[in-house]
Amino acid sequence: MTAILEPHEAAPELAPSPADEPYAVLKHRRGTRWMHWINFPLLTIMMWSGLRIYWAEDIYAFGILDWEWFKFFPDWFNEKLGLERKLARGLAFHFSFAWLFAINGIAFGIYTLVTGEWRELVPDRRALKDSFGVLLHDLHLRKEAPAHRGRYNAAQRMTYSLIILLGGLALLTGFAIFKPTQLGFLTAMFGGYTMARRIHFAVTIIFMLFFVVHLLQVARAGGRNFLSMITGYEVVGGGADRG
Amino acid sequence: MAERRDLSRDQYRRRSRRSFLTGGAAVAAGFMGWRGVQGSPADRRIPGVLRDVHGINESIWSSLFREDHLAKEFAREDASILRINGRIGIDNEIDLDRWQVTVQGPDGEEWGTHTLADIRALPRHEMTIEHKCIEGWAQVTNWGGARFSDVIDLYADRIGDDITDVGMETPDRRYYVSMDMATMRHPQTLLAYDMLDQPLDDAHGAPLRLATPLKYGIKQLKRIGVIQFRREPGRDYWGDRGYDDYVGL
Ligand code: HEM
C-alpha cells in the first residue's frame, strides 16, 4: 500500500526532443490494428442480430411469478433498434456473420501467439492489485496511476484478456447451440443446450458493458492512445499524456 | 514484415496520413459491403447473399451428418407436456376416425394410403428428447411412434437414389414442410402418435405428426395429411417466410 500512496513525483519538464530521438514508437502492429477494427463492426452485427433472435423469446428476466422487476431490454429499446419481429433476418445475419467473426477471431488468436504480442496482454500476478489502483485513478479517487509495465496498464490487461476469452466463449457456445446434436460434445461441455444458451446470452450482455467501459477507458487514456490504434504509432515525449 | 519500431516526426506524419487514407478507404469498403448485403435481391424474404450462406451452411452440416449419430436422450421423469406454439394448418375440425395419410411419389402419383392402425402396426419406438423451438425455448418431452425409416422401407422398391427429399402437408394444405432424406432415415425421426404414452391431442397434432430432435419445431409438421417422396426440395412454410430451409440441429 505504501508504494501506491507514495506522493506523485512531479513530471520532469520535457525538453523538445532532439532530432535523432524517436518522435513516435510502435504500439500496435499492422495485423492487430486491422483485426481490431474489423472486429468492431462484426461484433456489433453479431450483437444486433443476436438481440433480434432474443426478442422472439425474451425469457431472461428477474421477477417472481407475474411480477417482473427487471427486464433486459425495454420495449422502446427494441423498437428503436428495429429488433422486433425480425427473427428470420436476425438468424440469417447471425449465421452468416458468425463465420466472419470466427475467422477474424481465430486469425487474431494465431497472430497474437506468433508475434508474441500475447505477452503484452496476459495479466501477471500484480495485475489484479494494480488494476484496482488504475480504477481508483480513473475514477479520480487517486492521483497517480500505477506504472505501466509494458504497453498496457493493469486494468487494460485484465479487460482485454477477459474480452478475448469471452470472444472465444461466444464462438464456442454459439456453435454449441447452433448444432447441439452434431456438436453434442461441445453442448455437453457447457452443461447442455439451455445452459450453453444462457452463457451465450450472458456473454452478449458483458460485451455490451465492455463497449461502454472500453470507450471510457480509451477516452481516459487520451487522444494519442486512440490514434495509435489507427496509425500504429504513439507519439512520445513532447509533453505527451502518458496517463 | 517487421515494422519499424520508431519514427521521426516526418516519418510519423507521412505514416499517419497513409493510415488515415487506408482507414478511410477500408471504412468506405466496409460500408459498401454492408449496403451490398442489405440490398442484394431478396430470395424468399431475406437478402439473397444471406440465403446463399444458409445454403453453404447446409452443405457443410449435411455433409457432416451421420445417421448413426444420435441426439441426446433424457430421463423419462424429465419429460413434460410440450408447450403449444402454433395452430396453422390444424385450426379446423377434422373427423379423426376417417383420417388417412396419403403417400405420393415424385410426380404426385398416389403410392398408397394408411390409417392410424396401419402406422400403429409398425414397431413402436419411444424417445425422450429435448424439443427446440427456433424462437428460443427448449423443453424435454417424450414421443412414441413409428420410425419414418420403417415407412421408407414399405416403399423400398420405389425409392431409388433419385429420391432426396420428403414433402409433408396438413390435410388442409395450409402448413407444409420439406425435409431432407438423411434426416428422414434417422432412427430418431418418428411419425409420432403418442406423447407421454397418451394419444396426441388436437393441439399437439392428432392423430399423427412428425417428431425429431434433429430439426427445430417449425419442421415437425402436425396432423400429417400427405407425404410425398421427391426428387428435389419442396415448398416449406417457414423457409418461404425468410427462415433457413435446413434448420438442422
Ligand atoms: C460476438 C459474438 C456473438 C454474439 C454477441 C451473439 C449473440 C447472441 C444473442 C444475444 C442471441 C440470442 C440469445 C437468446 O435468445 O437466448 C444469440 C443466439 C444464437 N447465436 Fe449467437 N452470438 C455470437 C456469436 C455466435 C456464433 C459464432 C454462433 C455460431 C454459429 C452463434 C449462434 C447462435 C445461435 C444458434 C443462436 C440461437 C438461435 C435460435 O435458437 O433461434 N452465435 N446470439
Side-chain angles (χ1 to χ4, degrees):
Chain A
M1 282 317 277
T2 50
I4 292 180
L5 295 175
E6 240 161 35
H8 187 48
E9 282 175 53
E13 196 59 28
L14 283 161
S17 40
D20 57 333
E21 275 203 4
Y23 176 77
V25 298
L26 179 68
K27 181 146 182 204
H28 304 291
R29 287 168 196 260
R30 179 171 291 135
T32 310
R33 282 178 277 140
W34 273 104
M35 288 183 262
H36 170 268
W37 288 117
I38 288 173
N39 189 57
F40 172 61
L42 290 181
L43 184 56
T44 308
I45 292 169
M46 290 311 286
M47 295 199 292
W48 165 78
S49 56
L51 291 182
R52 284 181 155 185
I53 300 172
Y54 179 67
W55 180 87
E57 180 76 10
D58 52 346
I59 37 178
Y60 307 128
F62 298 102
I64 299 169
L65 298 175
D66 284 344
W67 179 63
E68 208 177 59
W69 62 267
F70 179 79
K71 197 171 153 206
F72 273 101
F73 306 104
D75 293 342
W76 61 261
F77 178 90
N78 290 322
E79 208 177 301
K80 275 271 178 312
L81 293 181
L83 301 177
E84 298 172 297
R85 282 176 292 279
K86 289 284 195 297
L87 175 59
R89 288 183 143 249
L91 291 166
F93 278 102
H94 210 67
F95 299 156
S96 301
F97 283 84
W99 290 115
L100 301 182
F101 178 80
I103 291 167
N104 190 53
I106 292 168
F108 177 75
I110 294 172
Y111 182 82
T112 308
L113 288 179
V114 170
T115 56
E117 293 284 287
W118 61 273
R119 286 194 204 87
E120 294 283 354
L121 280 168
V122 176
D124 54 18
R125 277 189 294 140
R126 268 179 62 191
L128 192 63
K129 183 176 143 207
D130 280 1
S131 56
F132 188 63
V134 175
L135 182 67
L136 291 180
H137 173 72
D138 283 352
L139 296 174
H140 300 270
L141 294 175
R142 202 186 117 181
K143 212 165 157 210
E144 74 284 12
H148 286 214
R149 278 161 308 112
R151 187 186 301 157
Y152 301 117
N153 71 39
Q156 284 174 311
R157 280 174 185 256
M158 298 286 285
T159 359
Y160 297 164
S161 308
L162 188 72
I163 217 67
I164 292 167
L165 288 180
L166 284 173
L169 197 60
L171 200 65
L172 291 176
T173 51
F175 275 96
I177 58 178
F178 187 38
K179 299 290 160 188
T181 300
Q182 285 184 284
L183 300 177
F185 61 97
L186 203 59
T187 320
M189 208 173 87
F190 290 112
Y193 180 79
T194 304
M195 201 58 202
R197 194 165 179 132
R198 283 201 192 126
I199 300 173
H200 196 68
F201 182 72
V203 169
T204 309
I205 298 296
I206 300 174
F207 277 145
M208 297 175 91
L209 298 176
F210 170 76
F211 255 52
V212 176
V213 171
H214 188 50
L215 291 180
L216 291 176
Q217 276 186 328
V218 170
R220 184 82 172 104
R224 295 184 185 205
N225 174 63
F226 174 72
L227 288 182
S228 72
M229 195 40 119
I230 297 171
T231 64
Y233 288 80
E234 181 155 352
V235 175
V236 294
D241 170 14
R242 301 235 227 146
Chain B
M1 283 298 284
E3 283 179 71
R4 294 262 323 262
R5 283 246 151 225
D6 41 55
L7 304 176
S8 71
R9 179 185 283 260
D10 277 355
Q11 287 170 318
Y12 177 75
R13 291 245 162 96
R14 252 176 282 133
R15 166 165 282 272
S16 51
R17 180 168 336 111
R18 209 173 67 208
S19 296
F20 274 94
L21 288 175
T22 321
V27 170
F31 191 70
M32 274 162 60
W34 176 245
R35 292 290 297 269
V37 171
Q38 295 243 326
S40 75
D43 183 349
R44 291 185 297 148
R45 302 207 191 170
I46 52 171
V49 185
L50 301 184
R51 180 66 77 187
D52 294 344
V53 182
H54 273 327
I56 294 170
N57 278 331
E58 170 168 351
S59 45
I60 294 172
W61 296 99
S62 64
S63 69
L64 296 173
F65 187 88
R66 296 286 168 271
E67 273 162 38
D68 56 0
H69 184 102
L70 300 183
K72 186 181 172 194
E73 302 229 6
F74 293 75
R76 173 67 201 253
E77 310 86 80
D78 297 336
S80 53
I81 293 177
L82 198 59
R83 165 175 163 179
I84 294 159
N85 213 37
R87 290 179 176 273
I88 305 158
I90 59 167
D91 51 6
N92 49 355
E93 295 286 314
I94 60 160
D95 182 354
L96 288 184
D97 297 329
R98 293 184 41 215
W99 172 92
Q100 290 193 325
V101 59
T102 307
V103 176
Q104 295 177 345
D107 302 310
E109 74 281 21
E110 188 175 310
W111 281 1
T113 58
H114 303 276
T115 62
L116 190 58
D118 297 337
I119 304 292
R120 281 188 183 272
L122 295 168
R124 183 179 186 277
H125 294 271
E126 211 174 285
M127 62 182 182
T128 304
I129 48 83
E130 190 170 39
H131 176 97
K132 298 177 184 72
C133 175
I134 198 162
E135 291 177 0
W137 52 271
Q139 187 185 341
V140 175
T141 195
N142 169 280
W143 300 111
R147 280 190 179 145
F148 193 82
S149 62
D150 287 337
V151 175
I152 295 178
D153 288 346
L154 293 180
Y155 295 96
D157 51 338
R158 292 200 241 187
I159 296 177
D161 288 343
D162 58 329
I163 300 296
T164 52
D165 295 87
V166 175
M168 292 188 167
E169 294 181 348
T170 52
D172 65 4
R173 316 198 66 183
R174 288 191 47 224
Y175 199 92
Y176 35 86
V177 297
S178 180
M179 297 283 289
D180 56 278
M181 203 60 176
T183 302
M184 296 312 276
R185 287 186 193 277
H186 191 280
Q188 287 170 310
T189 299
L190 303 185
L191 289 178
Y193 39 74
D194 290 340
M195 175 187 288
L196 292 152
D197 293 326
Q198 298 299 314
L200 293 179
D201 59 26
D202 261 3
H204 285 108
L208 191 69
R209 68 169 290 163
L210 190 63
T212 176
L214 306 166
K215 300 281 184 190
Y216 283 117
I218 51 172
K219 286 278 201 182
Q220 301 177 35
L221 191 94
K222 297 171 179 176
R223 195 192 279 177
I224 302 169
V226 179
I227 295 172
Q228 186 187 23
F229 289 97
R230 301 178 56 89
R231 296 193 196 95
E232 71 292 312
R235 58 185 195 142
D236 188 84
Y237 188 89
W238 289 109
D240 293 347
R241 283 163 180 74
Y243 287 83
D244 175 25
D245 291 299
Y246 188 63
V247 292
L249 296 168

